[in-house]
Amino acid sequence: MFAEERQAEIARLVGATRRVSGADLARRFAVTMETIRRDLAALESEGVLRRVHGGAVSLARTDSVEQSLDTRETLKTPAKRRIAAAALEYLEFMEATSVALDAGSTVETLADALASRQANPADQQLLVMTHALHVAGRLADQPEILLELVGGRVRTLTWAASGVFTAEQYSRYRCDIAFLGCNGVAAGFGFSTPELPEAAVKTAIVNSARKVVVLCDAEKHDHENFARFATFAQVDVLITDAAPAGRLARALEDGGVEVIVA
């Protein structure tokens, strides 16, 4: 097969599946990884795809572009609801009294589940800290929850505070558990998000918590974004909807991350 034919087929595969693995492509076309890297570089230069660690993704993906609040509202998929339900179960099992909730659609889905749960009146009130207005709005009228709103400059796109001031406020706390969302998790890089101000806040949350739990659907496995906010060694639990595979699975195991598949 000529290079042009192979690249055309790779472009078709990326368009159909939104993501391709370099190793899978090498096996499929019986060529070396170096040949596949050249093919992907050529297709990237033509604006067909974007190279990521281990392969390439369609430019239709939004890994490096944040989504607006209204857009994310439509992304509360059954998978994210399962992840949120497992996160709530983990929270209740740990009997935590203080929790930090990050921004993001999966964490917001957890806030929905938290607001809908049948709390025991005899239970101690749960202190919830968050910098996300949409998460706070889900919990503000819940009598069994003490809500601590972490301030800062709110971004219109995300309805969440971000930047150094917000991160500094989190550094004053020590909560039992933090639940964070992410835009990507990849071996060799860790947990990441597109923007530095959000990464700074997430890192501060990670450093403030006794237990760190990341909620991440399988579409984000093996993806790298611009800014890392946590290494594998800094995360205690990953709750996802499909078991990680390959290098990512090994990296999570080596980092001591417990994986819960919802």
Side-chain angles (χ1 to χ4, degrees), residues 2-243:
F2 293 113
E4 292 83 358
E5 295 174 304
R6 187 174 57 249
Q7 290 169 17
E9 179 63 11
I10 292 172
R12 186 192 67 78
L13 288 169
V14 170
T17 64
R18 301 199 301 171
R19 177 177 176 84
V20 291
S21 159
D24 289 344
L25 292 175
R27 286 191 293 269
R28 182 187 185 97
F29 297 110
V31 295
T32 65
M33 279 298 298
E34 184 57 35
T35 297
I36 293 299
R37 291 190 189 100
R38 287 196 297 267
D39 287 339
L40 296 180
L43 290 168
E44 184 176 50
S45 68
E46 296 172 6
V48 174
L49 51 76
R50 179 171 62 84
R51 287 181 293 171
V52 296
H53 181 77
V57 296
S58 167
L59 289 179
R61 291 194 63 91
T62 56
D63 294 337
S64 296
V65 179
E66 290 182 282
Q67 294 159 330
S68 70
L69 184 65
D70 289 340
T71 299
R72 291 206 312 268
E73 185 69 25
T74 67
L75 299 180
K76 293 181 181 178
T77 62
K80 292 188 178 185
R81 293 189 179 93
R82 292 197 304 273
I83 292 170
L88 180 60
E89 183 177 344
Y90 181 84
L91 171 61
E92 293 175 338
F93 172 78
M94 295 299 293
E95 298 183 342
T97 59
S98 58
V99 178
L101 295 183
D102 187 21
S105 60
T106 309
V107 178
E108 185 181 356
T109 308
L110 170 58
D112 292 339
L114 192 56
S116 301
R117 70 172 180 162
Q118 295 296 318
N120 187 335
D123 289 344
Q124 181 178 346
Q125 285 181 303
L126 178 67
L127 173 62
V128 176
M129 297 172 286
T130 187
H131 59 289
L133 296 182
H134 51 293
V135 171
R138 296 292 194 273
L139 302 173
D141 62 349
Q142 300 300 309
E144 71 278 8
I145 289 176
L146 296 173
L147 182 63
E148 182 80 15
L149 188 59
V150 178
R153 180 170 296 179
V154 175
R155 300 183 66 213
T156 303
L157 181 67
T158 62
W159 276 38
S162 66
V164 174
F165 183 72
T166 308
E168 194 275 334
Q169 288 187 73
Y170 271 116
S171 70
R172 303 176 188 177
Y173 297 113
R174 178 69 71 198
C175 63
D176 293 330
I177 303 178
F179 292 95
L180 298 100
C182 76
N183 294 78
V185 54
F189 192 59
F191 299 86
S192 57
T193 193
E195 296 291 333
L196 283 172
E198 281 68 38
V201 173
K202 287 175 182 288
T203 298
I205 295 173
V206 168
N207 292 334
S208 75
R210 294 184 176 90
K211 283 279 187 182
V212 177
V213 181
V214 175
L215 312 182
C216 178
D217 59 83
E219 281 198 359
K220 298 168 185 173
H221 293 181
D222 300 308
H223 291 297
E224 295 177 358
N225 288 266
F226 179 69
R228 178 174 59 199
F229 65 85
T231 65
F232 293 104
Q234 293 175 296
V235 172
D236 297 291
V237 180
L238 172 69
I239 303 181
T240 185
D241 60 310

